[in-house]
Amino acid sequence: MVAWKNLDTLTSFEDLAKTERVNLIEAMTGENGAERVKKYSVPMAEGFVYNYAAKQVDEEVLTAMEKLAEEAQLAEKFEALYNGEVVNTGEKRLVLHQLTRGQLGDPVVADGVDKRKFYVEQQNRIAEFANKVHAGEIVNADGEKFTTVVQIGIGGSDLGPRAIYLALENWAKKNGAFKMEAKFISNVDPDDASAVLNSIDVAHSLFVLVSKSGTTLETLTNESFVKDALKNAGLDASKHMIAVTSETSPLAKSDDYLAAFFMDDYIGGRYSSSSAVGGAVLSLAFGPEVFAQFLEGAAEEDKLSAKKNLRENPEMLDAMIGVYERNVLGYPCTAVLPYSQALSRFPAHLQQLDMESNGKCVNRFGERVSYPTGPIIFGEPGTNGQHSFYQLLHQGTDIVPLQFVGFKNSQLKNDVVIQGSTSQQKLCANVAAQIVAFACGKSDENRNKNFEGARPSSIIIGDEVTPRTIGALLAHFENKIMFQGFLWNINSFDQEGVQLGKVLAKRVLAHETDGALKEFSDLLNI
Amino acid sequence: MVAWKNLDTLTSFEDLAKTERVNLIEAMTGENGAERVKKYSVPMAEGFVYNYAAKQVDEEVLTAMEKLAEEAQLAEKFEALYNGEVVNTGEKRLVLHQLTRGQLGDPVVADGVDKRKFYVEQQNRIAEFANKVHAGEIVNADGEKFTTVVQIGIGGSDLGPRAIYLALENWAKKNGAFKMEAKFISNVDPDDASAVLNSIDVAHSLFVLVSKSGTTLETLTNESFVKDALKNAGLDASKHMIAVTSETSPLAKSDDYLAAFFMDDYIGGRYSSSSAVGGAVLSLAFGPEVFAQFLEGAAEEDKLSAKKNLRENPEMLDAMIGVYERNVLGYPCTAVLPYSQALSRFPAHLQQLDMESNGKCVNRFGERVSYPTGPIIFGEPGTNGQHSFYQLLHQGTDIVPLQFVGFKNSQLKNDVVIQGSTSQQKLCANVAAQIVAFACGKSDENRNKNFEGARPSSIIIGDEVTPRTIGALLAHFENKIMFQGFLWNINSFDQEGVQLGKVLAKRVLAHETDGALKEFSDLLNI
């Protein structure tokens, strides 16, 4: 049995806090630095490495972290999770998103069903459906093929699938895997749906309505918006729409949809990219084989997350360093900086994944914790960010730990040599340069040109953004966040913080307000 | 003469720090809250109001702020700036971006030129050029009209113009002002340029190369990338490309361009949206009249920024509240949350504008300051963010001040009534609800469902996202950031923090590295 304890009650955490701080400038300068880069590197799946040489760790700190990982029973907690224990204690639910891509432990039976079989079955049903759409066996009323797929969903039903679609769109075009263009409608702002509808040919579009509960107001509103548009175009909406939902939702058996594919309560929205939520739109866009490769990549990384030894487990290590930075060094933010334009919306997905999971101030027993938990996460692709907010990262008054991601190769292999190097080489040179610039800084008598350094960063380095690598990368962050939740002793799998706003918004719409809320409603002409 | 002093040397700052903290929950509950919403509101240009009822201020705090604004000579410093004083002391330059949209004070003569005339002249030259392109007088080699404009630029030459283009694209389509589709190439990642080139018809595309110095490596690299593509398509690149640069740059008089339009050293990249940098691409996309309206909106807001009275000056007030939150209350981040899908990339632009301007740890005399300066800025449009990182904002361990933006009307006026309300009403109801939920919270015996409240926010409320309102909104934030720089006594107009990374990247590409930098270069296969 695992014991759920607050971080500040663990002896090994106190010991970790007492270790000597690493002087990053000294550590990363000269041969010392070269040695660290070789040493502080751990292999990930799909050819990735996680390199943490430029983090404020050394043997003493790492040894203390190993003890904390053990005392906090991180490996045992993950094992309990993937073997089907009720880890989402607030909602009394299992946490099974890893099971959508592989089985790490015992068969997990819930509601009388082998859940691995259930997820595979949904994946297969989606594959069959997508293949029929691509083959022209499922067509529109005029017998013509669908060319566009439009996901209607918000939060977890939008950010993850959208980030992955954008990551693979050009790869798929280059590699003959591009089947249908995908678009996304998420915001309740009517301009979002209008703009998407104006940009597509609705007669050849298939809409994927995604809502686990079947009650998400934004999503149902946008569904009606789309149905109106289809009707106005003289089309039968039920022939243009599929649903991804839970089997118990009102959408599950409705005649309003061509087909319904299922997820369940054991998969949180923000963890649903590898379930039917990502599966439907990505299989339609790129073919089921591509989606299967994405799942394989994620499954390979999950296996590494199950390793007991901190220094062989990239996710546990990354999580531990993050907690050290948050709770010992006191840094409140983390920037995620992928050096790949394909990952343009990956930071936005990670922002949700991390902040919605670990932005909690009560532990899993409902007690207020007295230490900081989840950090603020933000980021943009490099090199764009270098010409934007990096100024603050280098010379601002606060230190922001950094998480770089870099790839040796471009996706499209279309490149140009300028001043003796390709664009891809320039991209990689920049990320290498940034790590060292942040860590070591540079003294200058003109303090305006002075770089204090000692800004910690890690980097995940891979070969190329492909379905398999994006799967592994996603699993890395999902599992990192899970381990951090374990360390903070919080429930990373609920999101009670979204409720109050919903309740008050309903009250505004019902005109049942007073005080400030009524005044703001008036100002906004509601 | 104005006196440049550190914030912590000002008596009135000490006094502000000593004022009693406002209990936001009490203040915003009941009739009290309603009164505050009515009272703590200041008109902006173009029908906007800036409402700060849900910020931790009261009469005592505001009076202290008024004194600080006076002692810090905020109005006088802005006056000095717009009258042409060398406010960018590090680079010994004037700061003239406001002059691109209007003249607030005396004529400003620099390098023997009346700068207002110069900027208007460039605007007029661009207008003439754009009109000729739209009229089919400037055409491609086959005598056909250009249909697409592609901006090649990074940082300030990308984020602002892109955010504004996205903000107005659908408005322009709805209102008959849409002339040409715009695309943007920024990242040195070759996949960025490749993907854009694959998505357009190059034979009918006009490229705008934007680099003030004419030496930005990413931009010149992408220019070569594009020229290769044009050549491969059998096209004469010089007939498809214009330049926006300074008159002294190597691009200014080159035969490689159809035309060149000018900015100068007195306009920082991140402040260049209202100069030729935004002017060329936006005038081509939407017509010069639309760009002129955008400038008018910005000029109207600038006029309000020149007001001496803190409580009548929305930018000075917003700046002051931000400094109070950063330096008295100790909050390190600010989230910008526009409830409008049209503003999807506006937060990314503000992130640059703010973090690159005020992410500095030395004052304008090159001395290390001992107080925090620019905060971390991040944000996504609502309601999307509600289903993402708002969990942390509501229930996380750290307090993040919030800056909402809301509009009474949608752009496209295409809407649907579901459950008794339109989508636009739902959107507005949500932002109103969030302000009150964040401020007041809600007690619950189940601590997991408990909302502690006391999360401060302000809101800017407008009618609709139009050229004029987006201009005013941009000027609001530009000027807010300027006033904060004045308070922190830093130079908000240079960016020395971007240099070290550039130097080291060059060294990597020249293979002149050792130590950690060499190891990272090897790992990345450079």
Side-chain angles (χ1 to χ4, degrees):
Chain A
M1 278 296 290
V2 295
W4 301 98
K5 292 181 184 171
N6 279 7
L7 180 66
D8 57 359
T9 66
L10 305 181
T11 319
S12 52
F13 174 68
E14 294 305 313
D15 292 343
L16 173 62
K18 282 181 210 142
T19 54
E20 201 177 327
R21 300 293 166 265
V22 171
N23 180 325
L24 198 55
I25 301 172
E26 269 177 31
M28 285 298 288
T29 301
E31 265 318 293
N32 220 349
E35 282 309 308
R36 281 177 68 92
V37 180
K38 284 182 231 166
K39 191 171 170 186
Y40 291 141
S41 188
V42 53
M44 294 172 52
E46 305 300 339
F48 279 116
V49 294
Y50 171 67
N51 191 295
Y52 54 105
K55 287 292 191 185
Q56 280 173 270
V57 299
D58 61 8
E59 291 307 304
E60 188 197 350
V61 172
L62 286 163
T63 303
M65 286 178 169
E66 283 170 334
K67 287 186 185 146
L68 175 53
E70 228 167 277
E71 189 182 355
Q73 299 181 296
L74 297 185
E76 292 85 342
K77 283 172 185 167
F78 184 33
E79 202 179 340
L81 183 148
Y82 63 67
N83 282 330
E85 213 169 276
V86 178
V87 169
N88 178 353
T89 39
E91 299 176 315
K92 301 196 172 46
R93 288 174 182 170
L94 287 63
V95 175
L96 299 183
H97 54 274
Q98 284 97 352
L99 208 59
T100 59
R101 52 230 194 190
Q103 181 148 347
L104 288 163
D106 307 329
V108 178
V109 178
D111 318 324
V113 174
D114 179 308
K115 296 308 294 188
R116 173 67 188 151
K117 278 189 192 151
F118 169 75
Y119 297 135
V120 172
E121 185 187 309
Q122 296 310 313
Q123 189 193 338
N124 291 339
R125 290 182 59 227
I126 288 169
E128 200 185 329
F129 180 86
N131 284 333
K132 283 186 184 166
V133 170
H134 300 151
E137 293 168 33
I138 295 174
V139 287
N140 74 3
D142 290 340
E144 295 159 336
K145 279 174 105 166
F146 291 109
T147 57
T148 305
V149 51
V150 184
Q151 177 104 330
I152 307 172
I154 194 164
S157 305
D158 170 51
L159 291 166
R162 191 194 293 249
I164 297 162
Y165 174 77
L166 292 174
L168 297 178
E169 182 182 10
N170 292 314
W171 175 92
K173 285 177 179 165
K174 167 88 178 174
N175 292 282
F178 193 76
K179 309 287 185 190
M180 297 167 78
E181 191 182 26
K183 299 267 185 173
F184 296 82
I185 298 173
S186 54
N187 203 328
V188 77
D189 180 347
D191 288 339
D192 189 15
S194 294
V196 170
L197 289 170
N198 288 342
S199 75
I200 61 171
D201 167 14
V202 286
H204 298 90
S205 295
L206 196 57
F207 296 85
V208 186
L209 183 80
V210 187
S211 172
K212 183 159 69 176
S213 63
T215 62
T216 314
L217 184 62
E218 279 93 337
T219 301
L220 295 185
T221 300
N222 279 322
E223 181 190 19
S224 296
F225 209 105
V226 166
K227 280 185 173 167
D228 268 16
L230 288 164
K231 204 173 145 193
N232 292 342
L235 300 165
D236 175 357
S238 69
K239 301 283 180 256
H240 285 261
M241 214 171 254
I242 64 174
V244 175
T245 187
S246 66
E247 283 180 296
T248 53
S249 111
L251 315 177
K253 295 203 169 64
S254 163
D255 290 337
D256 289 352
Y257 309 100
L258 267 175
F261 304 104
F262 304 120
M263 58 179 317
D264 60 31
D265 281 343
Y266 311 126
I267 297 176
R270 59 193 171 275
Y271 294 96
S272 67
S273 295
S274 56
S275 78
V277 172
V281 63
L282 296 171
S283 298
L284 285 162
F286 306 134
E289 302 74 20
V290 168
F291 184 66
Q293 289 162 28
F294 162 77
L295 295 183
E296 285 161 20
E300 288 305 309
E301 196 62 47
D302 286 340
K303 285 180 199 164
L304 296 180
S305 298
K307 289 202 171 206
K308 308 235 178 281
N309 185 340
L310 177 79
R311 293 175 74 164
E312 292 174 359
N313 183 328
E315 290 67 47
M316 199 189 280
L317 191 53
D318 194 0
M320 184 65 82
I321 293 171
V323 167
Y324 176 71
E325 289 174 332
R326 182 86 167 115
N327 298 84
V328 177
L329 303 177
Y331 304 142
C333 304
T334 295
V336 184
L337 307 164
Y339 275 63
S340 163
Q341 192 60 25
L343 298 187
S344 61
R345 290 299 285 169
F346 202 68
H349 176 52
L350 292 187
Q351 188 174 56
Q352 172 188 40
L353 203 56
D354 203 321
M355 292 173 71
E356 194 166 46
S357 295
N358 290 338
K360 317 269 166 82
C361 61
V362 297
N363 70 9
R364 52 174 57 243
F365 306 112
E367 298 153 353
R368 183 69 157 88
V369 297
S370 52
Y371 44 81
T373 59
I376 307 291
I377 302 288
F378 70 99
E380 292 284 338
T383 57
N384 290 357
Q386 291 179 200
H387 294 258
S388 167
F389 54 85
Y390 277 37
Q391 164 67 40
L392 183 146
L393 303 182
H394 278 291
Q395 292 189 320
T397 50
D398 293 17
I399 289 182
V400 180
L402 312 170
Q403 182 124 35
F404 291 107
V405 181
F407 296 90
K408 295 173 204 167
N409 304 307
S410 70
Q411 284 188 315
L412 299 176
K413 310 289 186 300
N414 185 17
D415 211 330
V416 65
V417 174
I418 310 286
Q419 297 177 13
S421 59
T422 63
S423 290
Q424 183 64 28
Q425 284 169 325
K426 290 185 184 75
L427 183 68
C428 287
N430 271 283
V431 67
Q434 290 295 334
I435 297 171
V436 174
F438 279 117
C440 299
K442 186 180 144 289
S443 293
D444 197 302
E445 281 187 22
N446 178 346
R447 297 260 346 184
N448 208 27
K449 296 177 192 290
N450 188 67
F451 290 78
E452 295 181 356
R455 266 83 171 151
S457 70
S458 64
I459 182 166
I460 293 170
I461 298 175
D463 290 324
E464 187 189 326
V465 180
T466 66
R468 295 187 70 100
T469 60
I470 194 82
L473 199 63
L474 182 75
H476 173 78
F477 285 101
E478 288 184 356
N479 298 343
K480 169 194 170 177
I481 290 162
M482 169 193 73
F483 284 125
Q484 294 194 325
F486 291 162
L487 282 162
W488 287 317
N489 200 28
I490 58 182
N491 179 5
S492 304
F493 305 103
D494 64 358
Q495 53 284 322
E496 292 292 347
V498 307
Q499 296 304 328
L500 179 57
K502 284 189 199 174
V503 171
L504 295 185
K506 271 191 192 163
R507 219 175 279 168
V508 174
L509 291 170
H511 298 283
E512 292 167 359
T513 56
D514 55 13
L517 192 51
K518 181 171 187 321
E519 293 301 323
F520 279 122
S521 305
D522 288 351
L523 279 178
L524 283 150
N525 266 8
I526 308 163
Chain B
M1 277 296 290
V2 295
W4 301 97
K5 293 182 183 171
N6 279 5
L7 180 65
D8 57 359
T9 65
L10 305 181
T11 320
S12 53
F13 174 68
E14 294 306 312
D15 292 343
L16 174 62
K18 283 183 209 143
T19 54
E20 200 177 329
R21 301 293 165 267
V22 171
N23 180 327
L24 197 56
I25 301 171
E26 268 178 31
M28 286 298 287
T29 301
E31 265 318 292
N32 221 348
E35 282 309 308
R36 281 176 68 92
V37 180
K38 282 182 235 168
K39 188 171 173 187
Y40 291 142
S41 188
V42 53
M44 294 172 52
E46 305 300 339
F48 279 115
V49 294
Y50 171 66
N51 191 295
Y52 54 104
K55 287 291 190 186
Q56 282 173 269
V57 298
D58 60 9
E59 291 306 305
E60 187 196 351
V61 172
L62 286 163
T63 303
M65 287 177 169
E66 283 169 335
K67 288 186 184 146
L68 175 53
E70 228 167 277
E71 189 181 357
Q73 300 181 293
L74 297 185
E76 291 85 340
K77 284 173 184 166
F78 184 33
E79 203 178 340
L81 183 148
Y82 64 65
N83 282 329
E85 211 168 279
V86 178
V87 169
N88 178 353
T89 39
E91 300 176 315
K92 301 197 174 42
R93 289 176 182 168
L94 287 63
V95 176
L96 300 183
H97 54 274
Q98 283 98 352
L99 207 58
T100 59
R101 52 225 193 196
Q103 180 148 345
L104 288 163
D106 307 330
V108 178
V109 178
D111 317 325
V113 174
D114 179 309
K115 296 309 292 188
R116 172 69 188 150
K117 279 190 192 149
F118 170 75
Y119 297 135
V120 170
E121 185 187 310
Q122 296 309 314
Q123 189 193 338
N124 291 339
R125 290 182 60 227
I126 289 169
E128 199 185 332
F129 181 86
N131 285 334
K132 282 186 183 165
V133 170
H134 300 151
E137 293 168 33
I138 294 174
V139 288
N140 74 3
D142 289 340
E144 296 159 337
K145 279 175 106 164
F146 291 108
T147 56
T148 305
V149 51
V150 183
Q151 176 105 329
I152 307 173
I154 194 164
S157 305
D158 170 51
L159 291 166
R162 193 195 291 249
I164 298 161
Y165 175 78
L166 292 174
L168 297 178
E169 183 182 9
N170 293 314
W171 175 90
K173 284 177 179 166
K174 168 88 178 174
N175 293 282
F178 193 75
K179 309 287 184 190
M180 296 167 78
E181 190 182 26
K183 300 267 185 172
F184 296 83
I185 298 174
S186 55
N187 204 327
V188 77
D189 179 348
D191 288 341
D192 189 16
S194 293
V196 171
L197 289 170
N198 288 342
S199 76
I200 60 171
D201 168 13
V202 285
H204 299 90
S205 295
L206 195 57
F207 296 84
V208 187
L209 184 80
V210 187
S211 170
K212 183 161 65 176
S213 63
T215 61
T216 314
L217 184 62
E218 279 93 338
T219 300
L220 296 185
T221 300
N222 280 322
E223 180 190 21
S224 295
F225 208 105
V226 165
K227 281 184 172 166
D228 268 17
L230 289 164
K231 204 172 145 192
N232 291 341
L235 300 164
D236 176 356
S238 69
K239 300 282 181 258
H240 284 261
M241 216 171 254
I242 64 174
V244 175
T245 187
S246 66
E247 284 180 294
T248 54
S249 112
L251 315 177
K253 296 202 167 67
S254 163
D255 290 338
D256 289 353
Y257 309 100
L258 266 175
F261 304 104
F262 304 121
M263 59 179 315
D264 60 32
D265 280 345
Y266 311 125
I267 297 175
R270 57 192 173 276
Y271 294 95
S272 66
S273 295
S274 55
S275 77
V277 172
V281 63
L282 296 172
S283 298
L284 285 162
F286 306 134
E289 301 76 19
V290 167
F291 183 67
Q293 289 162 27
F294 162 76
L295 295 183
E296 285 161 20
E300 288 305 310
E301 196 62 46
D302 286 340
K303 285 182 199 163
L304 297 181
S305 297
K307 290 203 170 206
K308 307 232 178 286
N309 185 341
L310 177 81
R311 293 175 77 163
E312 291 174 0
N313 183 327
E315 291 66 48
M316 198 188 282
L317 191 54
D318 194 0
M320 184 64 82
I321 293 171
V323 168
Y324 177 71
E325 290 175 332
R326 182 87 168 113
N327 297 84
V328 178
L329 304 178
Y331 305 142
C333 304
T334 295
V336 183
L337 308 165
Y339 275 61
S340 162
Q341 192 62 23
L343 298 187
S344 61
R345 291 299 285 169
F346 202 69
H349 176 52
L350 292 187
Q351 189 175 56
Q352 173 189 38
L353 202 58
D354 203 322
M355 293 173 71
E356 194 167 46
S357 295
N358 291 337
K360 316 269 166 80
C361 61
V362 297
N363 70 9
R364 52 174 57 243
F365 307 111
E367 298 153 353
R368 183 70 157 87
V369 298
S370 52
Y371 43 80
T373 60
I376 307 290
I377 302 288
F378 70 98
E380 291 284 338
T383 58
N384 290 356
Q386 291 179 200
H387 293 259
S388 168
F389 54 85
Y390 277 37
Q391 163 68 41
L392 183 147
L393 303 181
H394 278 291
Q395 293 189 318
T397 50
D398 294 16
I399 288 182
V400 180
L402 311 170
Q403 183 123 33
F404 291 106
V405 182
F407 296 90
K408 294 172 203 166
N409 304 308
S410 70
Q411 285 187 313
L412 299 176
K413 311 287 187 303
N414 184 17
D415 212 329
V416 64
V417 175
I418 310 285
Q419 297 177 13
S421 59
T422 63
S423 289
Q424 183 63 29
Q425 286 170 325
K426 290 185 183 74
L427 183 68
C428 288
N430 271 281
V431 69
Q434 290 295 334
I435 297 171
V436 174
F438 279 115
C440 300
K442 186 181 147 286
S443 294
D444 197 303
E445 281 187 20
N446 178 346
R447 297 257 346 181
N448 207 28
K449 296 177 192 289
N450 188 66
F451 290 78
E452 295 180 357
R455 265 86 172 149
S457 69
S458 64
I459 182 166
I460 293 171
I461 298 176
D463 289 324
E464 188 188 328
V465 180
T466 66
R468 295 187 71 100
T469 59
I470 194 82
L473 199 62
L474 182 76
H476 173 78
F477 285 101
E478 288 184 355
N479 297 345
K480 168 195 172 178
I481 290 162
M482 171 193 71
F483 283 124
Q484 294 195 326
F486 291 162
L487 283 163
W488 286 317
N489 199 28
I490 57 181
N491 179 3
S492 304
F493 305 103
D494 65 356
Q495 54 283 323
E496 292 291 346
V498 308
Q499 296 303 329
L500 179 57
K502 283 189 199 173
V503 171
L504 295 185
K506 272 190 191 163
R507 219 174 280 168
V508 174
L509 290 169
H511 298 285
E512 292 167 359
T513 56
D514 55 12
L517 192 50
K518 182 173 185 320
E519 293 300 324
F520 279 123
S521 305
D522 289 350
L523 278 178
L524 283 151
N525 265 8
I526 309 162

